[in-house]
Amino acid sequence: MKRFATWMPIVAAVILGALLRGWQLDQQFLVDDEWHSLYRDFRLSYWIPTEIYLVAEATIGLSDRMIHGFFFGFGALLTVVLPLAARRVVGGRAAAVYAWLLALSPLLVYYSRFARPYAAALLFSVAAVACFLEWWRTRRGVLAAAYLVTATGALAMHPLMAPFVFSPFVPRLAALVTSRERWREDLRRLVSIGIWVPLCAAAAVAPLFYAPELAASTAGESARDPAMLIELFEIFTGTSGLASLLMAVLVGAGLRSMLGSAPALCRNLLLASVLQIGTIFALSPGGASSAFIFARYTIPVQAFVLLLSAIGITRLAEWLAARLADARAAAWIGVLVPGIVVAGVFVTGPLWGFFRYPDSWMNAELHLRLTRMESQYRQSVHDVSAFYRQLGNTEPGSLTLIEAPWYLETHRNPYPLYQSVHRQHVLIGNPGAGFDLLWQPAERHLKSRRFVSLADPVELRTRADFLVIHKDLAAEMTPLIPSPAFELQPPWDGEIDRWIRTARDAFGEPFFEDGGLAVFRLSEPPPAP
């Protein structure tokens, strides 16, 4: 029973983390950067594991569920692996708090739901450093092999993880110069693993050889602003304002404690973090002037920040408990203080009040919250049709709408806001099939139940209750970003009037029509009671 009680907090955190990452995941549309690795030209997305998509297409079939499931797996796995690995270093209580901070991290929840490789990059990067340090301590060859595998995995997820992954070499190479003892043996060990590093790195970033211009195409594009590091800390910890100040104090306390209890590990992780942040700051890759994009390029650092936070929270609880004479009260303090702090971080962070049903745009909305553009997004939508407001009076999730056309970029897609008003299921009417979703030739085939062909009236009637055709979708909101991320010609240009005529012929006169929408009822209304 005591053993179960020891592990229960970590198990509970893992379960909750999986629920947050999987909630309505099968109903999410692929949006924004998720389409990068699905482009026709493989060179445009060298940092995404496109090969996995190609294998899936040739075997089980490429689908949005498979794509989301792949990254969900890594996101859920890190909430298990990292606390268990940290447990023998920082103790069971701090590891449990660490598990909760990882499970509730808004950034990690986002990258476990969104098809981008940064949660996987964090897991591989931290595992690589841990394997190297343990290999250096124990000299076990299997750990050297594990380092090479995890380092390759990290670089395959994103080449910019290199500073963190290769950071353990720096103090060892420096020691060769300053140390007179065992330097020959240390040099031999570094060479034994170092000769394989270039091969692993080359294998991981092989696509760069096909498009070397991509490696430097965005370097130096972003402005450097040291003040952005404050926002970076807030993104890592999921806090803001006074809460982030409190968390900074706890991180400082955790750093002091870890330097005393595990100095070698702490110094190595601190060096890795400084090298990662400093390299990204110096390179200034495109978009890194945004704290959110900077955070994804430095995401392995978040694992260390949250670990220090967990240690600091645990030490605070221990300090308070030590000042109580009553042993039972002290034991309760040891549980309540971490619980209150973690709950406070969750309640004051972007995940609080975020979950509603149904919601097919949770990933897009969480991105808006993390980038602090939610209010700006809502203001950019010019109006909400009376049709959507009318649907808002019906039972949530009782109807299904097919919206057409659509933009895959959140910054010019008003559908997330509309669904928050009408609270019904949403599908997208697609003028083509397969890769026509991307306005590209259908050279690859993406299976998705979230899209319905507008050319098939039978399927339209089977899948939904209403077909909503937007007469001028671009005019319904002011894009948040002046130049769209995907400058492609929409396939519906000049086709909207034809869609409406075809819908009239198939479904009769519109159920609702105004200057912006033409809505057709696809199902028969329920009989009057």
Side-chain angles (χ1 to χ4, degrees):
M1 189 68 180
K2 184 177 180 181
R3 188 180 183 88
F4 174 76
T6 301
W7 288 99
M8 187 173 62
I10 294 180
V11 173
V14 170
I15 293 174
L16 179 59
L19 291 175
L20 292 177
R21 287 155 173 78
W23 173 248
Q24 300 187 85
L25 188 58
D26 63 332
Q27 299 185 35
Q28 300 307 298
F29 290 101
L30 296 171
V31 295
D32 298 317
D33 289 356
E34 290 182 296
W35 292 101
H36 276 182
S37 57
L38 298 177
Y39 276 151
R40 176 189 178 191
D41 190 346
F42 171 72
R43 297 182 306 163
L44 291 179
S45 54
Y46 67 89
W47 57 86
I48 299 288
T50 311
E51 297 86 349
I52 296 173
Y53 294 167
L54 296 176
V55 171
E57 181 186 6
T59 54
I60 62 175
L62 184 63
S63 67
D64 48 5
R65 287 186 176 183
M66 174 267 160
I67 292 171
H68 280 143
F70 176 76
F71 295 100
F72 166 84
F74 279 108
L77 186 62
L78 69 83
T79 65
V80 178
V81 173
L82 297 187
L84 293 183
R87 194 173 190 273
R88 67 185 185 88
V89 178
V90 301
R93 290 187 176 182
V97 177
Y98 189 35
W100 279 95
L101 292 177
L102 291 168
L104 298 177
S105 165
L107 186 65
L108 295 181
V109 168
Y110 175 71
Y111 280 124
S112 303
R113 302 175 54 87
F114 191 75
R116 296 288 275 165
Y118 299 105
L122 181 153
L123 181 59
F124 279 123
S125 299
V126 174
V129 172
C131 287
F132 186 103
L133 297 179
E134 192 66 8
W135 164 71
W136 192 260
R137 186 180 69 85
T138 64
R139 307 186 184 189
R140 295 173 59 192
V142 66
L143 292 171
Y147 168 74
L148 294 174
V149 170
T150 51
T152 302
L155 296 178
M157 293 300 141
H158 205 298
L160 286 178
M161 301 299 113
F164 197 94
V165 167
F166 296 140
S167 63
F169 284 92
V170 175
R172 276 85 196 164
L173 290 172
L176 293 178
V177 179
T178 59
S179 176
R180 296 183 179 181
E181 298 180 2
R182 298 176 51 183
W183 68 270
R184 287 186 176 86
E185 181 182 353
D186 289 348
L187 178 60
R188 180 186 59 79
R189 295 178 65 193
L190 288 174
V191 170
S192 70
I193 195 172
I195 58 175
W196 296 101
V197 167
L199 295 177
C200 294
V205 300
L208 284 175
F209 296 114
Y210 298 100
E213 70 278 3
L214 291 174
S217 61
T218 61
E221 285 188 358
S222 301
R224 299 176 176 90
D225 181 11
M228 180 184 60
L229 297 178
I230 298 175
E231 189 176 349
L232 176 68
F233 178 82
E234 293 178 342
I235 292 174
F236 279 164
T237 57
T239 59
S240 61
L242 185 60
S244 64
L245 181 60
L246 171 62
M247 191 60 73
V249 174
L250 293 173
V251 167
L255 178 62
R256 180 180 179 182
S257 175
M258 192 174 182
L259 282 172
S261 60
L265 176 61
C266 185
R267 286 195 296 266
N268 277 277
L269 290 176
L270 186 60
L271 173 64
S273 301
V274 170
L275 287 176
Q276 186 69 29
I277 292 176
T279 301
I280 300 304
F281 196 79
L283 290 178
S284 298
S289 57
S290 160
F292 176 75
I293 296 179
F294 197 98
R296 73 190 191 190
Y297 291 149
T298 58
I299 198 166
V301 179
Q302 185 186 19
F304 184 45
V305 171
L306 292 183
L307 178 60
L308 295 179
S309 301
I311 297 172
I313 293 170
T314 306
R315 297 298 173 263
L316 173 63
E318 292 173 350
W319 182 82
L320 292 173
R323 278 149 181 77
L324 296 176
D326 190 328
R328 179 173 296 182
W332 275 107
I333 285 293
V335 174
L336 289 177
V337 170
I340 291 172
V341 175
V342 171
V345 170
F346 178 72
V347 169
T348 60
L351 289 179
W352 181 254
F354 172 65
F355 300 93
R356 65 172 184 270
Y357 181 85
D359 189 353
S360 298
W361 309 99
M362 292 179 66
N363 297 346
E365 292 166 337
L366 185 52
H367 177 269
L368 291 171
R369 289 193 174 196
L370 287 168
T371 55
R372 303 180 180 181
M373 297 181 68
E374 183 181 26
S375 176
Q376 185 180 349
Y377 168 80
R378 291 182 173 275
Q379 294 172 7
S380 70
V381 179
H382 300 158
D383 193 17
V384 177
S385 171
F387 171 71
Y388 294 129
R389 299 187 186 280
Q390 178 182 343
L391 288 185
N393 296 323
T394 62
E395 181 182 354
S398 60
L399 300 170
T400 300
L401 314 182
I402 297 175
E403 303 268 21
W406 79 301
Y407 286 113
L408 58 88
E409 308 99 321
T410 300
H411 71 259
R412 54 175 179 167
N413 176 20
Y415 293 163
L417 177 60
Y418 295 162
Q419 190 178 30
S420 71
V421 174
H422 62 66
R423 303 289 300 276
Q424 306 300 331
H425 295 287
V426 173
L427 302 174
I428 295 296
N430 177 38
F435 241 55
D436 288 346
L437 296 173
L438 276 179
W439 317 322
Q440 299 282 340
E443 296 183 359
R444 298 179 191 167
H445 301 283
L446 174 69
K447 292 188 284 188
S448 174
R449 293 283 295 168
R450 311 305 304 160
F451 296 90
V452 183
S453 173
L454 294 176
D456 189 345
V458 175
E459 185 182 15
L460 292 175
R461 286 189 182 278
T462 303
R463 299 287 304 282
D465 300 285
F466 292 98
L467 170 62
V468 184
I469 299 178
H470 296 253
K471 298 178 181 179
D472 189 358
L473 183 60
E476 293 183 21
M477 70 177 291
T478 302
L480 295 179
I481 303 175
S483 58
F486 305 95
E487 296 178 355
L488 302 169
Q489 185 68 17
W492 58 80
D493 195 34
E495 294 291 310
I496 302 298
D497 290 340
R498 182 180 64 80
W499 292 357
I500 295 176
R501 290 195 301 270
T502 302
R504 286 181 187 273
D505 294 339
F507 310 116
E509 290 300 309
F511 172 82
F512 174 91
E513 186 171 13
D514 60 14
L517 302 181
V519 181
F520 297 88
R521 178 179 283 278
L522 305 178
S523 62
E524 295 298 326

